[in-house]
Amino acid sequence: MSVDIDILISTPAWESFEGLEALTQECVRASLAESGAKLAPGCELSVNFCDDAEIRELNAEWRGKDKPTNVLSFPTPGKLANRPLLGDIVIAYETVAREAGEQAKTLRDHTAHMVIHGFLHLIGYDHETSAEAETMEALERRIAAGLGLRDPYAPGDDEEAGQLNKSDVDTI
């Protein structure tokens, strides 16, 4: 099954990221395959690569948190197999680039993780409870490994490295 992905680059910083569209498509395909999710035929989603200012506005409006975050997911309501529009993923350049540096990851690997994480939220995964977090993180690790990426939760240079700030990343 395929997913049509509409990619919007709304900040110039992402324009220098070579292969961003291909990476996004690869991450979504791998996430879909590994998760086994059953999507509506001709399903679509959008990924907006923005800046911290834009994601901060969205985070304030939809989550009541007036600060930037790395990724937000906006799933379309309804049963997964009946949703022709899966939803939207929004990823902020400055936060993702800063986190990649802090966690001794490449921007490419951390961006891939954000696409994977955001997509999993669109298909119903969450990390509100410990059990949900364990399930979602295990799936993220398998997807990353299948793509030849480093474990997204492996420790890096700082104490928090490899840990997605779960209080800041959520579905709407």
Side-chain angles (χ1 to χ4, degrees):
M1 177 172 290
S2 66
V3 179
D4 184 28
I5 306 168
D6 181 27
I7 297 174
L8 172 66
I9 299 176
S10 61
T11 192
W14 285 109
E15 291 173 6
S16 64
F17 189 115
E18 191 172 322
L20 183 60
E21 186 170 327
L23 177 67
T24 301
Q25 292 171 352
E26 183 179 27
C27 289
V28 169
R29 275 194 307 272
S31 298
L32 181 58
E34 188 65 36
S35 70
K38 304 297 183 218
L39 304 180
C43 186
E44 298 177 15
L45 70 98
S46 73
V47 183
N48 178 4
F49 291 96
C50 68
D51 61 15
D52 275 2
E54 185 174 345
I55 209 165
R56 180 181 181 160
E57 286 180 28
L58 292 168
N59 206 19
E61 180 178 348
W62 293 98
R63 298 184 64 230
K65 296 184 179 189
D66 189 17
K67 61 183 181 178
T69 187
N70 48 22
V71 61
L72 291 172
S73 295
F74 298 88
T76 304
K79 189 175 178 179
L80 187 60
N82 296 332
R83 293 183 351 212
L85 178 59
L86 197 55
D88 304 306
I89 301 169
V90 184
I91 302 173
Y93 183 83
E94 295 92 340
T95 298
V96 172
R98 178 182 46 77
E99 288 174 347
E102 291 170 354
Q103 298 170 17
K105 297 177 181 176
T106 66
L107 179 59
R108 182 185 185 282
D109 282 4
H110 197 44
T111 300
H113 182 213
M114 296 300 96
V115 172
I116 292 164
H117 189 89
F119 180 79
L120 292 179
H121 275 307
L122 292 184
I123 62 172
Y125 286 87
D126 213 337
H127 44 73
E128 292 297 315
T129 68
S130 311
E132 288 175 337
E134 286 179 30
T135 299
M136 188 170 178
E137 288 175 17
L139 184 53
E140 288 173 280
R141 285 181 165 110
R142 288 195 311 273
I143 295 164
L147 291 169
L149 305 173
R150 166 183 151 181
D151 178 346
Y153 294 100
D157 286 345
D158 71 0
E159 195 174 302
E160 304 266 342
Q163 297 301 311
L164 195 59
N165 187 345
K166 292 185 193 84
S167 66
D168 287 344
V169 180
D170 209 347
T171 56
I172 305 302

